[in-house]
């Protein structure tokens, strides 16, 4: 009777990605939507007046009379819907893919349709982000079912024809009314995929997460490990090791430190040329004989070996002398 709440099983069906269809594609999508769902209800032996259906544009809201066994929907109807979708999608370039929300509770009828908190929950489960993400992750599947915790406890766990409790997975979902528990199943799979396995957009370079990880070769220059610096030694160590001739013979030009490395490497270097035997590099000037000229770019204090003569230079003020 209109205006009075009655207990009913609620089935809400929604088409995935319908917003991407053009106006010329939508009528064909709706025709197939009504065909696969209506045929599935017929195959399960559920017909009007025990079945009420309400158009939702790219979906259908269905409410079953209290005398319809809910296990028939959870089992036979869902399986028939899955097989009907596989058949209709066989030759489609854009396959029809559906999300189904299942709940049971009090439903109020009026001249405009059906309403109630139970109706809202069935619609929310069907449209929740977790259901959408699971269907996106199951790229080869045409259907995902989202059952409320009550439907799962009362009609899934006991099992039945085409009802396998082991195929459902629990997820806590955030709805407009708050967080609730739902159970998800993808027909044809022993378990649904994880809902967040698809590729996520990388954060912007200036976003809170920092720059995105680069997939190609790195172009930045990570700091050298401490072991490299300790191997190079200090200028004092170089003086103890031997003369400039010895230092030049110890390695190739590739081994020579660059100007950028000077603060950490602790070795003498020039901007462009590697040291040669008997001389030490010092900016644009060259130290010859027993005299060291200025513009040696070094930090702190240290010793520089020049042609066998060791001079002590105080560079603690950051400039050369």
């Amino acid at each position: 009777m209109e205006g009075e709440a009655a207990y009913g099983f609620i089935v809400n069906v929604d088409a995935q990605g319908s917003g991407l269809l053009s106006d010329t594609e939508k009528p064909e999508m709706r025709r197939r939507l009504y065909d696969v769902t209506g045929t599935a209800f017929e195959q399960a032996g559920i017909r009007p007046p025990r079945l009420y259906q309400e158009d939702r544009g790219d979906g259908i809201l269905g409410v079953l009379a209290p005398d319809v066994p809910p296990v028939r929907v959870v089992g036979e109807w869902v399986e028939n819907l899955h097989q009907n979708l596989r058949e209709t999608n066989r030759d489609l370039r854009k396959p029809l893919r559906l999300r189904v929300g299942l709940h049971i509770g009090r439903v109020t009828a009026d001249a405009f349709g059906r309403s109630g908190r139970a109706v809202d929950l069935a619609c929310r489960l069907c449209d929740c982000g977790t259901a959408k993400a699971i269907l996106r992750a199951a790229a080869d599947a045409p259907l995902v079912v989202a059952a409320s915790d009550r439907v799962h406890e009362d009609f899934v766990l006991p099992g039945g024809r085409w009802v396998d409790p082991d195929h459902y997975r629990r997820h806590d979902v955030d709805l407009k009314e708050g967080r609730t528990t739902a159970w998800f199943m993808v027909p044809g799979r022993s378990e649904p995929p994880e809902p967040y396995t698809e590729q996520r957009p990388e954060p912007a370079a200036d976003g809170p997460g920092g720059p995105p990880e680069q997939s190609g070769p790195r172009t930045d220059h990570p700091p050298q490990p401490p072991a490299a610096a300790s191997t190079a030694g200090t200028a004092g160590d170089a003086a103890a090791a031997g003369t400039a001739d010895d230092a030049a013979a110890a390695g190739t030009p590739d081994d020579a430190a660059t100007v950028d490395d000077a603060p950490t490497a602790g070795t003498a270097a020039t901007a462009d040329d590697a040291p040669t035997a008997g001389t030490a590099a010092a900016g644009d000037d060259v130290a010859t004989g027993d005299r060291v000229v200025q513009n040696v770019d070094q930090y702190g204090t240290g010793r520089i070996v020049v042609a066998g003569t060791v001079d002590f230079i105080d560079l603690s003020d950051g400039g050369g002398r």
Side-chain angles (χ1 to χ4, degrees):
M1 183 180 297
E2 184 174 327
E4 293 183 1
Y7 207 69
F9 195 90
I10 305 154
V11 179
N12 192 72
V13 183
D14 198 8
Q16 182 101 329
S18 60
L20 302 177
L21 300 178
S22 66
D23 286 345
T24 57
E25 293 173 317
K26 286 182 182 292
E28 177 63 16
M29 180 275 292
R30 283 170 51 80
R31 185 191 70 77
R32 291 179 183 274
L33 170 64
Y34 272 90
D35 179 59
V36 295
T37 56
T39 302
F41 277 122
E42 284 284 342
Q43 292 168 327
I46 305 172
R47 306 175 183 87
R50 303 168 74 199
L51 169 65
Y52 166 84
Q53 292 191 93
E54 184 177 307
D55 184 73
R56 293 295 179 97
D58 58 354
I60 305 171
L61 172 67
V63 180
L64 282 63
D67 62 338
V68 175
V71 68
R72 191 180 299 178
V73 179
V74 176
E76 294 180 49
W77 181 80
V78 167
E79 179 59 28
N80 289 328
L81 177 61
H82 175 228
Q83 297 302 328
N84 295 343
L85 280 168
R86 293 183 60 195
E87 180 68 22
T88 197
N89 286 338
R90 183 169 298 172
D91 300 320
L92 288 183
R93 183 174 60 88
K94 295 181 180 180
L96 177 63
R97 309 181 74 211
L98 303 178
R99 304 184 308 273
V100 172
L102 304 178
H103 189 41
I104 190 168
R106 292 164 57 87
V107 180
T108 300
D110 57 30
F112 305 101
R114 302 293 185 270
S115 63
R117 296 184 63 183
V119 174
D120 293 342
L121 181 56
C123 295
R124 297 277 193 261
L125 292 177
C126 180
D127 198 47
C128 73
T130 303
K132 294 178 180 179
I134 288 176
L135 191 55
R136 281 196 300 268
D140 59 340
L143 177 64
V144 61
V145 176
S148 68
D149 199 32
R150 185 171 188 178
V151 167
H152 179 265
E153 182 177 352
D154 290 349
F155 309 112
V156 173
L157 284 180
R161 187 183 185 191
W162 292 329
V163 180
D164 192 335
D166 292 336
H167 291 181
Y168 284 77
R169 291 296 178 269
R170 169 181 171 164
H171 289 282
D172 292 329
V173 296
D174 292 316
L175 308 178
K176 290 183 178 180
E177 295 80 5
R179 172 162 288 200
T180 190
T181 296
W183 297 81
F184 296 87
M185 188 268 290
V186 174
R189 293 194 175 204
S190 59
E191 63 178 357
E194 288 299 314
Y196 301 117
T197 56
E198 72 276 12
Q199 187 76 24
R200 287 186 169 185
E202 295 287 356
D206 57 350
E213 183 70 17
Q214 299 178 1
S215 57
R218 293 177 62 95
T219 57
D220 58 329
H221 302 282
Q224 297 296 325
S230 62
T231 303
T234 65
D237 296 332
T243 66
D245 292 334
D246 299 328
T252 65
D254 290 339
D255 299 324
T258 65
V259 172
D260 292 336
D261 296 328
T264 56
T267 59
T270 67
D272 300 315
D273 302 321
T276 59
T279 63
D284 296 329
D285 300 319
V286 179
T288 59
D290 59 354
R291 183 169 176 268
V292 179
V293 296
Q294 58 184 12
N295 291 335
V296 178
D297 186 10
Q298 189 64 281
Y299 292 90
T301 61
R303 297 181 182 274
I304 296 179
V305 178
V306 181
T309 300
V310 177
D311 288 344
F312 180 85
I313 300 177
D314 185 359
L315 300 174
S316 59
D317 60 353
R321 293 186 181 181

